[in-house]
Amino acid sequence: MSPSPLMHRRVGHTERSAVGDVRRELRELLLHRCGPEQIDVAELLVSELVTNALIHTRHGAVVTATATATALRVGVQDFAADLPAPYVPNADDGTHGRGLILVRSLADAWGVEARALGKVVWFELHGLRP
């Protein structure tokens, strides 16, 4: 599985409006690689991971996307060493705290990799069109 790079984008800590730009860029890159449902899932998951990185760290994020003939892998690197903690939201939390639950539920695979500077939270979607 030798991935080909699709996207590499830096998002500054104060660029919360860039989450929508990242979503649109990923959508455009995936238009001929997968169906509309997978594109919607990819957009949702990347926006959750980028938003988490911008809210919970102070140094922005780097978003990468790679693809093989049948799989997409998206990683969001931030520059904080703290690993995401499992969190179970309650009714009083509103929409807060559901990002990683969505990632766990909708991605075919996901994980966290420690790096020398921070970490990468990633997800994969399988079954793309060959």
Side-chain angles (χ1 to χ4, degrees), residues 100-129:
L100 287 179
I101 292 171
L102 287 170
V103 173
R104 274 196 316 247
S105 299
L106 298 174
D108 292 309
W110 80 282
V112 181
E113 297 171 0
R115 297 285 169 97
L117 292 173
K119 65 188 164 297
V120 174
V121 182
W122 58 270
F123 69 86
E124 290 181 355
L125 296 177
H126 301 156
L128 275 66
R129 293 181 202 148

Side-chain angles (χ1 to χ4, degrees), residues 43-119:
E43 278 188 290
L44 173 64
L45 299 185
V46 75
S47 65
E48 291 295 336
L49 295 185
V50 172
T51 299
N52 281 351
L54 297 181
I55 288 173
H56 298 293
T57 70
R58 298 182 190 268
H59 303 290
V62 175
V63 181
T64 58
T66 56
T68 64
T70 59
L72 168 73
R73 181 179 175 121
V74 175
V76 178
Q77 180 177 5
D78 64 47
F79 302 95
D82 301 341
L83 297 178
Y87 179 76
V88 178
N90 61 47
D92 296 333
D93 288 335
T95 59
H96 171 73
R98 289 170 172 74
L100 287 179
I101 292 171
L102 287 170
V103 173
R104 274 196 316 247
S105 299
L106 298 174
D108 292 309
W110 80 282
V112 181
E113 297 171 0
R115 297 285 169 97
L117 292 173
K119 65 188 164 297

Side-chain angles (χ1 to χ4, degrees), residues 10-16 18 54 59-61:
R10 172 104 170 127
V11 180
H13 173 64
T14 60
E15 292 183 84
R16 298 229 174 117
L54 297 181
H59 303 290

Side-chain angles (χ1 to χ4, degrees), residues 11-42:
V11 180
H13 173 64
T14 60
E15 292 183 84
R16 298 229 174 117
S17 63
V19 174
D21 296 337
V22 169
R23 285 175 65 114
R24 281 185 292 280
E25 186 175 343
L26 187 60
R27 173 175 281 279
E28 288 174 21
L29 292 169
L30 295 177
L31 278 176
H32 302 291
R33 291 183 177 264
C34 53
E37 288 179 15
Q38 285 180 310
I39 292 172
D40 291 344
V41 170

